[in-house]
Amino acid sequence: MTEKTVMTTTNRATITKGSGNVFADLGFSRAESRNLRLRSQMMTALRNFIEKEGLTQADAAKRLKVSQPRISDLTRGKISRFSLDSLVNMLTDAGLEVDFRIKPTSRRVA
């Protein structure tokens, strides 16, 4: 959790305000948290593409040049089964442009 954590208790439930990054809130390291967040965003883009195009899992597999079980893993959110590299390839095969930026962090790293 971050230093800005706010805890409220209502009806015996404790609500903790998150940092905006669920993976960081779950305790992943900064690097792993960013990796998971990127993969999550890419997987969401692919699921949205499949839904928008009205593709079956079999049709999506052909279009994205992967097997149908891979599409099943994607739609079920099995993030650990996908690397950034494989997701970039699938997004490219979907005709989607992958773009990212690199910038200095606002926090100094020792």
Side-chain angles (χ1 to χ4, degrees):
M1 304 290 165
T2 66
E3 293 175 19
K4 298 177 184 176
T5 300
V6 176
M7 294 180 79
T8 311
T9 303
T10 58
N11 297 333
R12 298 183 187 163
T14 301
I15 301 168
T16 304
K17 184 174 181 178
S19 68
N21 182 338
V22 67
F23 301 110
D25 293 345
L26 289 171
F28 288 96
S29 71
R30 204 161 174 226
E32 185 67 8
S33 175
R34 288 188 185 234
N35 185 292
L36 287 164
R37 192 170 182 179
L38 283 170
R39 287 190 283 158
S40 167
Q41 291 170 338
M42 290 179 172
M43 290 174 74
T44 298
L46 284 165
R47 284 193 305 268
N48 289 342
F49 167 78
I50 291 166
E51 185 179 322
K52 180 182 169 199
E53 295 292 314
L55 300 173
T56 64
Q57 286 190 4
D59 291 337
K62 288 177 190 169
R63 184 104 172 247
L64 302 178
K65 301 176 186 166
V66 296
S67 67
Q68 180 276 323
R70 288 289 280 166
I71 299 300
S72 177
D73 288 342
L74 175 78
T75 59
R76 294 173 58 206
K78 302 287 186 173
I79 196 166
S80 64
R81 298 188 181 175
F82 293 91
S83 67
L84 287 170
D85 191 47
S86 67
L87 291 166
V88 167
N89 292 339
M90 291 170 72
L91 286 161
T92 301
D93 289 335
L96 300 171
E97 182 177 334
V98 178
D99 192 17
F100 73 98
R101 63 185 175 164
I102 299 171
K103 64 180 185 170
T105 60
S106 57
R107 198 172 89 182
R108 241 187 166 177
V109 178

